[in-house]
Amino acid sequence: MDARRSSLWSGIAGTSLFTLIWLVEGVIRPGYDPMRSWISELALSGRGWIQIAGFLIGGALITVFGRGLRAVFADGPAATWGPRVVTTAGVALFAAGLFVIDPGTYRPPGTVAGTTWHGILHDIAGPVMVLSVAAAAVIYSRRFARWYGLAAGGLMVALWLAAGVLNGLDHAGVWSPAPAGLFQRLSVLTGFAYLAYLACRALAASETAASVAYPATGGEETTGGAVTR
């Protein structure tokens, strides 16, 4: 497997690994309610390093995926801004792992409620990641699967905004516990499913380009410019 195809597989690996980690950790983490609390709050407590690793590895792999997209779709619609926003999404996800969130609806023993500099940076990285993935879906819709891209991008943002509203209602005591975590998870799943789909389309395009560049010879080989059987 060449470096280009490996970078495209990184898109599938990064989205899948990140999703698997928060799915499993959300179920087995004591005292954590995945329907209520943010994915990022899994980075808190003594087990937080697992979710932090998910952010870092997933972000790094998606960043590599963005570089691979630039190589495969070098011209045509989405050639310029598509790879840029995917790379930005990867960097933002990586940053979300570097800068741990402040405790919210999940407060494991040993954590102190309050606002910190790293919590503020995390709160910036999250929306940047979401908007970048949504932008990628809209931008690449110019190239293929137009309605799927537009729907995925719009739905991801809508679900994220709904999660934010529900989280605010929970903190205000208006609706507690509110299903903010559920809506956030649906948002991330929507966006990452599109990135995985994009990776599959890019892999197919790469395979097609390779077959055109190196067509099958039907069992013939060339030696010194001559065809031998």
Side-chain angles (χ1 to χ4, degrees):
M1 183 183 298
D2 60 24
R4 178 184 297 182
R5 290 183 62 79
S6 295
S7 66
L8 298 178
W9 276 105
S10 294
I12 297 174
T15 54
S16 299
L17 177 65
F18 180 73
T19 301
L20 179 63
I21 288 176
W22 62 253
L23 277 173
V24 174
E25 279 294 295
V27 171
I28 67 175
R29 181 70 63 87
Y32 178 86
D33 182 359
M35 297 296 100
R36 181 187 188 191
S37 299
W38 295 127
I39 292 171
S40 298
E41 291 181 90
L42 289 168
L44 302 171
S45 83
R47 290 177 57 92
W49 66 270
I50 300 175
Q51 184 59 55
I52 292 173
F55 277 116
L56 298 178
I57 298 173
L61 288 172
I62 292 173
T63 302
V64 171
F65 173 49
R67 300 294 297 272
L69 288 172
R70 185 183 302 278
V72 174
F73 302 125
D75 53 26
T80 300
W81 282 101
R84 289 179 182 177
V85 293
V86 172
T87 300
T88 300
V91 172
L93 188 64
F94 189 91
L98 285 179
F99 307 115
V100 179
I101 194 173
D102 293 323
T105 55
Y106 173 58
R107 298 180 184 179
T111 59
V112 179
T115 302
T116 63
W117 64 270
H118 53 80
I120 293 173
L121 291 176
H122 181 95
D123 289 344
I124 295 172
V128 170
M129 187 277 292
V130 171
L131 292 175
S132 296
V133 174
V138 173
I139 290 170
Y140 277 104
S141 71
R142 297 172 54 220
R143 194 171 193 111
F144 41 68
R146 179 170 180 79
W147 290 112
Y148 176 40
L150 293 175
L155 183 60
M156 184 182 193
V157 172
L159 288 168
W160 186 273
L161 291 175
V165 171
L166 290 169
N167 186 60
L169 292 175
D170 198 331
H171 281 284
V174 176
W175 182 0
S176 184
L182 172 61
F183 277 76
Q184 188 208 26
R185 281 160 171 76
L186 291 175
S187 174
V188 173
L189 282 173
T190 299
F192 277 23
Y194 183 84
L195 288 184
Y197 163 78
L198 179 59
C200 291
R201 291 296 298 258
L203 283 164
S206 177
E207 184 69 27
T208 300
S211 65
V212 171
Y214 304 101
T217 60
E220 297 180 346
E221 298 179 356
T222 59
T223 303
V227 176
T228 60
R229 298 181 183 274

